[in-house]
Amino acid sequence: MRMKNIFVFMSSGTFLLLLIIISFHGPTKAADDHQNAGRGSRRDRLYIVYMGSAAASSTTSDDDISSLRDDHAQLLSSVVTRKPNAVVHTYKHGFSGFAARLTDEEARSIASKPGVVSVFLDPILKLHTTHSWDFLKYQTALKIDSNLNSNNYDAADGVSLVTADGSDTIIGILDTGIWPESESFNDQDMGPIPSRWKGTCMKSDDFSSSNCNRKLIGARFYSTPESDGTIEIDSPRDTVGHGSHVAGTAAGTPVSDASYYGVAAGTAIGGSPGSRIAMYKVCSEGGCRGSDILAAFDDAIADGVDVLSLSLGSASGFQPELSNDPIAIGAFHAVEQGITVVCSAGNDGPDPGTVVNAAPWILTVGATTIDRDFESDVVLGGGTVVKGRAINFSKLEKSPVYPLIYALSARKADGNEHSARYCEEDSMEAEKIKGKIVLCDSGDYWRSSQIDAVTSLGGVGVIFQVENPGVVASTYGEFPATVLSFKDGQEILSYINSTRNPVTTVQPTVTVTKYKPAPTVVYFSARGPASGTRNILKASKLASPLRFLISQESTHFPNVACLQPDIAAPGVNILAPWIGNDSSVALEGKDPPLYNVLSGTSMSCPHVSGIAATVKAQNPAWSPSAIRSAIITTASQTDNLGAPISTDKNSTATPYDYGAGEVTTTGPLQPGLVYETGTVDYLNYLCYYGYNVSQIKTISKTAPKEFACPKDSNADYISNINYPSIAISNFNGKASKNVTRTVTNVAGDGEIIFTATVDAPSGLTVKVIPDKLHFSKNNQKLNYQVVFSPTTSSPKEDMFGSVTWTNAKYKVRSPFVVDV
Ligand SMILES: *[C@@H]1O[C@H](CO)[C@@H](O)[C@H](O)[C@H]1NC(C)=O
Ligand SMILES: *[C@@H]1O[C@H](CO)[C@@H](O)[C@H](O)[C@H]1NC(C)=O
Ligand SMILES: *[C@@H]1O[C@H](CO)[C@@H](O)[C@H](O)[C@H]1NC(C)=O
Ligand SMILES: *[C@@H]1O[C@H](CO)[C@@H](O)[C@H](O)[C@H]1NC(C)=O
Ligand SMILES: *[C@@H]1O[C@H](CO)[C@@H](O)[C@H](O)[C@H]1NC(C)=O
Ligand SMILES: CC(=O)N[C@H]1CO[C@H](CO)[C@@H](O)[C@@H]1O
């Protein structure tokens, strides 16, 4: 179940370490050892040795820190001396450590050395594009993103064209590289590169330094040749498309008349068109190496980016622990050094507890639909039109002249009924399919093998009826195919029954705008609550986290520091720049498309990164937490029908679905009040997680000298981290629980009064004390308490609501969840 990482904390107890390694590998490791007669552990594997921040902090003369810095130097040099070619990355700017090819034995030994926080096998993470690659075979490289053109954006309440342009902020993107020739990365009208930029434009065979410009100011790539060859990176150039798409969405220059062969036509523009882009290529089609991700974080911190955008992560169910999660580790150090880190929540929804990248220092983004749809309708003989959804370039006649058959009626004499209905290979009679359009059943997702089965028998088109047609439009190229619900499929079936010679056609795609309702939370968007393992909960009660890693049981518990995902943003059918030579998504006889349509939380994340960069441009002194707060507290919960935003199941969305709601573009520029989450808040979270104070001081560069873990670092304590949302756990219907929050006045109007309003569910009384905040000046901080009291003795479900501070001009809303 778990990732196969050996996970070793610094420890004095060899016995414990051994236990951990055995339990992580369980029977596999034992078998491995057996087979290799003791030689298995001698095989070199890529390990990450994480040593906190000490070596990176060159300005301090603190004795403890310099001795830790020596630890790093000594350890590294001892490894280099013994194995000259073993070290593949050295982390030294933003934090310290290294990645090296080591035997398990060596890794174990290094884990016990002074200054080492954790040692773990290099994990491979994945891009957060649409649901499933198999599902997307016909779209092949098809994973696209979005544009912020006005068509899309007037969908979401409060989301209008970006006004401020984010000029001179720098967005660093960890992804598959970039296609620098795209018009979206044109630097026309951009001023000189900000002088604080210290990054570089790395060269390779297909990428020269002239590929960088005043828009694309940096490009790096990370090559770690591994024997399995799954991830090969030798250039900053994008050969996948994902990185170019994400970069264009975050900060693309406006390009008019962008489209995918006429589909989704409009102006493609990034969320922060004035921002600069720095690409850190850490992924290829095979995935993204943790050791490369850490190297990119290390460089980006030194290069001087303002925002980091990561549309990638682990699969849900395989979330690594904090100490072996390269994104959590890298992000911690980036945030500590003033960089806002925005990550996708993952595409493993809609089950609860699927969100990844949920550490409380990360801004985690889920996906919603926009008000644009791609309709490819079915026309039946007699003129009835049944709505379908697809991107296709069908060349069929517009009138229904093609014979229509339900796949089941073409079943082979000895064939299986289910196989025939699902248009599986070898299940249908060729003479019954030839020349016809075939109605096929499908599960939630159609498969390309179904199309292959129909075309191989001479079928000319496919209509899929599926359980949940969802909202993601699949791309079928010139093949006439469309997707509709079983309910609409009934209409087609009745028609077939009603006539001797049923006929139909599949119409080419029409782009529909002003589609309602929008936004809605899309089915694939990963949901909260952020889960952790039981280990973590237990760890808070005992001194060392080591003991708990022995247990593999994993149950989910609310990440009580905050609600995750934090926010939602457009992530369905998004048009954005593509690599220029991808013939796999080209229509026959046409040049490859320059823009492509993709879906995923990968596409949502850069929308928020762009907005964060814009907020930063307007408020250069704001911390990452102030920027995050501005984005969270100004989210919208209403769709374009004026109703509460709903989910794919047509139920009202909760914070577990979309966090605070749909991001707005203008709200974050005028938040009124912000919640600043300080380093100490994060360190308290680490205490809760199970780290002790000496480990925490190794990890954190800015830990105050006098920092100590609270005596009782329980869930209630952690609910008090100064986060812009509130999460209460273990609410039992008997005792009240209360939390404290601190808000900073950033309204800029001097004296100002805010009044609290509460939206509480039945079963809960929520009181805000005081219910008025009277600020006498800008940047003043005031505290308040929220007391949650039960009104029923046995609440059965988690309860949701919000606390909002308002005055005539501002609305500062914090969602809450009470977990029972
Ligand atoms: C902190 O934990 C580490 C690893 O378990 C241990 O070696 C160290 O002695 C602990 N320090 C304190 C102050 O408890
Ligand atoms: C179509 O006819 C078949 C066989 O007569 C029957 O089983 C089926 O229920 C009918 N379907 C509809 C939608 O009328
Ligand atoms: C596109 O061009 C790049 C760089 O020249 C090359 O590495 C890549 O293989 C090409 N991709 C395709 C699909 O032709
Ligand atoms: C969704 O729910 C609303 C309100 O309950 C209802 O009016 C609407 O028809 C539903 N839509 C669908 C597609 O079921
Ligand atoms: C909330 O909790 C704090 C700390 O436990 C306590 O001092 C305070 O009196 C409580 N406030 C209310 C209104 O219960
Ligand atoms: C929306 C859109 O561009 N639809 C196209 C689908 O394919 C047909 C045939 O290629 C075009 O004519 C449509 O414009």
Side-chain angles (χ1 to χ4, degrees), residues 529-577:
S531 57
T533 63
R534 184 178 286 284
N535 302 335
I536 300 165
L537 264 187
K538 283 202 240 156
S540 66
K541 302 201 182 81
L542 294 154
S544 154
L546 273 178
R547 306 270 296 276
F548 309 104
L549 299 173
I550 296 162
S551 139
Q552 305 231 5
E553 72 191 296
S554 137
T555 65
H556 76 251
F557 76 102
N559 178 344
V560 287
C562 48
L563 270 169
Q564 305 277 16
D566 289 298
I567 191 95
V572 177
N573 303 334
I574 302 295
L575 181 85

Side-chain angles (χ1 to χ4, degrees), residues 736-740 769 785-787:
S736 295
K737 297 225 179 196
N738 81 26
V739 297
T740 302
I769 306 168
Q785 283 192 344
V786 189
V787 182

Side-chain angles (χ1 to χ4, degrees), residues 727-742:
I728 302 286
S729 63
N730 306 321
F731 191 76
N732 59 14
K734 294 188 190 82
S736 295
K737 297 225 179 196
N738 81 26
V739 297
T740 302
R741 287 289 186 271
T742 304

Side-chain angles (χ1 to χ4, degrees), residues 179 206 237-239 579-584:
W179 191 265
D206 58 10
R237 182 171 290 275
D238 189 1
T239 56
I579 57 177
N581 65 346
D582 186 357
S583 49
S584 72

